[in-house]
Amino acid sequence: MRPVTLRNGLVLIVIAALLPIGSLSIVQALSTLNYSRTLIGNRLVTSALATAARERDPLVISKQVLLTLSKDQAVLSGNAGCSAALKAGLGNIAAIPNVARSDAMGRVQCSALPFDPAISFANEAWWQRGIKAQGFTVSAPVNGRILKRRILVGMQPIQVKDGTNDGAMTVAIDASWLERSMAASELDADAAVAIVDEQGTVVLTSEKRQLPQFNVAFGDAKVADAIARDGVAWMYAVAPLYDNKLFVVYAEPTKHLLATAVKQVRISLLLPIAALLIACLAIWFGTTRLVLQWLESLRTLASQFAKGDFAGNAEKYERAPRELGLLSADLHSMARAIETRDHELQAALDAKTALTHDIHHRVKNNLQIVSSLLNLQAGKISDPAAREALNQTRARIGGLAQIHRLLYEESHDSDHGNVNIASLLNALCVQLRALHRGQSNVQLVCEAASQTVPINNAVPLTLLAVEAVTNAYRHGFPSGQNGRIVVQFMVIDEQATLSVTDDGSGFDVTQKTASMGGQLMEAFAQQLGGVLSVVSTPGNGTVIKLAYPLLHEQAGGGFASDA
């Protein structure tokens, strides 16, 4: 990629040189972060499995207690000795405060603790799920009907020999005991332990902080991330607690877990970035002091030379670096050579301009002499047709003389071979008025946009205007009829138009004969690459219009008119 400036180019080179080191630093930082995450994940998984094993003990004990009691005949019969048998079989287990026997309709028959005989579990969701199961099930935390506090219900269905349902044994697992056990099992001060259901919703925890929704589909030996509603990010591991219905989650705030690793990553990233910034700053200030300020000075010097001021100050660059000092010396040498050549070229141009002006002046004078001779000759001819022909020729020569007069007088445009069309047509109209001063009843008006045209366009335009105007004078106003002739030149959308309009007698264009004037105007139009149109009807005047593409002219502002 091409750099925009020298300084930017050097900065890009430094960046390219340090990019491999920066890339290695990034790779190393990411590897460190991944390794730290792996170690943290292993610790979380181990903690989750250990916690699940501890929290699973009351469930295993509850299952064994129920299996044992479900074989006791006193319990199965549900008679008066059932409650005593349940109390004796339960013993003194802190996590299991009660065990009960229910009939097939969900009514409590006996319990290790006193109970209301009207209590029935038939409408409880955990009862409806457990009674259909083939073995031991555990519910999510519920409000115990007998204990009047939160418990997990373990349930073992009882079936007689023929497979008929004969109720169930239920055991109450103290939820608060499980919470205290989870709190005591935390291995880190910032850790949180919770029991969640199969949807990942927290159902039991001693944690006061807000916990996120967990995804238990990861299973054990997996680490995942979640964000709580308060915006705190957590890393957690999941371990099954029982029957894929309850799970233990061990979680810690991500910020706390990865703080050390993130700090190391930042250091690994900041060091190459700092080195890159220092290098870029050194290049920035170094190029400014050693190169750019001198290049800007040389640029100013070159601009001074371009404007024609070749004085310079070579001594100023003696303090510049050697290479730039040599460049300055070359520029001063070139300036002296250009100055010498400019003097020579200007002298040659002045001589050429003087010669060109002299040529135009001589041509103008010669054409005026020819016009005067024709005027003298016309005065000695008695034949009106011959006299008119000489006057027509005199008008054409006068138009050409006007072109050379303008080229001689307007030095700037004449150097480029251009003529101001407004000045030309105005002068031409003055000349044509003088030529036809005997027809004072006809008013000649000239309107032209002020702009320049090349001389090779000015000549056919002038001759065409002469033909059109003289024809209008000669044929448009018979018997002293008053009238008006308008010569107009305009440019619209790169299209130039010359029109000669009169309000004279007009003629029938369908009966038009091939005259010399008409042939000349057609030839002039072809020379300009344009189209000539003649519109006329008897009694309504005549419009002669030439339209041609504007190729070399320069459109000018302003508008000139002369009546």
Side-chain angles (χ1 to χ4, degrees), residues 301 305 311-320 325 328-329 332-333 336:
L301 181 65
F305 289 165
N313 184 9
E315 297 179 355
K316 174 182 177 181
Y317 297 93
E318 293 178 355
R319 296 180 289 106
S328 170
H332 281 84
S333 298
R336 288 190 292 271

Side-chain angles (χ1 to χ4, degrees), residues 49 125 146 229 347-348 521 546 559:
L49 293 174
I146 298 175
R229 290 184 178 179
M521 287 190 289
L546 166 66
F559 191 82

Side-chain angles (χ1 to χ4, degrees), residues 277-314:
L277 289 177
I278 292 173
C280 291
L281 287 174
I283 289 175
W284 190 274
F285 288 108
T287 52
T288 300
R289 294 294 301 274
L290 295 176
V291 180
L292 295 183
Q293 69 174 7
W294 293 108
L295 287 180
E296 184 63 27
S297 178
L298 289 173
R299 183 171 175 269
T300 303
L301 181 65
S303 176
Q304 176 185 337
F305 289 165
K307 294 177 181 178
D309 182 3
F310 300 105
N313 184 9

Side-chain angles (χ1 to χ4, degrees), residues 158-298:
I158 300 175
Q159 295 180 343
V160 296
K161 292 181 179 181
D162 61 358
T164 305
N165 179 23
D166 191 27
M169 298 293 299
T170 58
V171 62
I173 304 170
D174 192 353
S176 62
W177 187 93
L178 291 175
E179 289 176 345
R180 291 192 299 272
S181 176
M182 286 188 292
S185 67
E186 293 182 5
L187 302 179
D188 190 272
D190 286 335
V193 180
I195 295 177
V196 301
D197 59 16
E198 55 191 335
Q199 281 76 40
T201 303
V202 176
V203 296
L204 196 63
T205 182
S206 62
E207 180 60 47
K208 303 301 181 182
R209 291 170 292 179
Q210 190 174 30
L211 297 178
Q213 182 83 12
F214 297 104
N215 186 356
V216 299
F218 286 106
D220 53 352
K222 299 289 185 180
V223 177
D225 296 277
I227 299 178
R229 290 184 178 179
D230 58 2
V232 177
W234 294 78
M235 287 181 64
Y236 65 93
V238 178
L241 182 61
Y242 188 80
D243 195 25
N244 287 329
K245 298 296 182 181
L246 293 176
F247 301 85
V248 170
V249 173
Y250 188 94
E252 292 188 33
T254 304
K255 182 178 181 181
H256 167 73
L257 287 173
L258 299 178
T260 302
V262 170
K263 183 177 180 181
Q264 293 176 350
V265 169
R266 288 176 178 173
I267 293 174
S268 300
L269 294 177
L270 288 177
L271 285 178
I273 292 175
L276 179 61
L277 289 177
I278 292 173
C280 291
L281 287 174
I283 289 175
W284 190 274
F285 288 108
T287 52
T288 300
R289 294 294 301 274
L290 295 176
V291 180
L292 295 183
Q293 69 174 7
W294 293 108
L295 287 180
E296 184 63 27
S297 178
L298 289 173

Side-chain angles (χ1 to χ4, degrees), residues 511-523:
Q511 303 297 323
K512 181 178 63 173
T513 59
S515 64
M516 180 179 177
Q519 293 175 355
L520 287 175
M521 287 190 289
E522 288 286 352

Side-chain angles (χ1 to χ4, degrees), residues 78 92 114 155 187 222 269 304 315 319 321 326 337 426 456 484 531:
N92 189 20
M155 181 175 173
L187 302 179
K222 299 289 185 180
L269 294 177
Q304 176 185 337
E315 297 179 355
R319 296 180 289 106
L326 292 175
N426 285 329
N456 58 346
R484 177 184 172 92
V531 177

Side-chain angles (χ1 to χ4, degrees), residues 365-379 394 397-398:
N365 290 341
N366 290 337
L367 289 175
Q368 287 179 345
I369 291 173
V370 172
S371 178
S372 299
L373 292 175
L374 289 175
N375 186 35
L376 292 174
Q377 187 65 36
R394 179 187 170 197
I397 294 174

Side-chain angles (χ1 to χ4, degrees), residues 361-497:
H361 183 61
R362 290 177 181 273
V363 170
K364 182 205 68 167
N365 290 341
N366 290 337
L367 289 175
Q368 287 179 345
I369 291 173
V370 172
S371 178
S372 299
L373 292 175
L374 289 175
N375 186 35
L376 292 174
Q377 187 65 36
K380 297 179 179 180
I381 295 177
S382 58
D383 185 2
R387 187 183 304 108
E388 183 64 27
L390 287 178
N391 287 333
Q392 184 80 359
T393 302
R394 179 187 170 197
R396 294 166 184 160
I397 294 174
L400 296 177
Q402 291 295 339
I403 294 175
H404 286 279
R405 181 186 66 80
L406 292 176
L407 287 173
Y408 170 71
E409 292 178 352
E410 299 180 6
S411 59
H412 174 72
D413 288 331
S414 66
D415 290 340
H416 300 86
N418 295 330
V419 179
N420 188 297
I421 190 66
S423 300
L424 175 61
L425 292 181
N426 285 329
L428 183 63
C429 286
V430 171
Q431 177 181 314
L432 291 174
R433 289 192 202 99
L435 185 64
H436 297 88
R437 55 182 172 273
Q439 291 180 268
S440 58
N441 57 303
V442 179
Q443 182 184 14
L444 177 59
V445 178
C446 183
E447 299 175 350
S450 180
Q451 65 180 59
T452 59
V453 297
I455 188 173
N456 58 346
N457 286 1
V459 171
L461 284 173
T462 300
L463 295 178
L464 190 148
V466 169
E467 294 297 329
V469 171
T470 54
N471 283 343
Y473 268 113
R474 183 167 46 182
H475 303 294
F477 307 96
S479 304
Q481 176 183 343
N482 293 328
R484 177 184 172 92
I485 303 172
V486 179
V487 180
Q488 189 176 50
F489 183 87
M490 64 179 61
V491 177
I492 301 176
D493 296 333
E494 300 299 321
Q495 185 80 4
T497 302

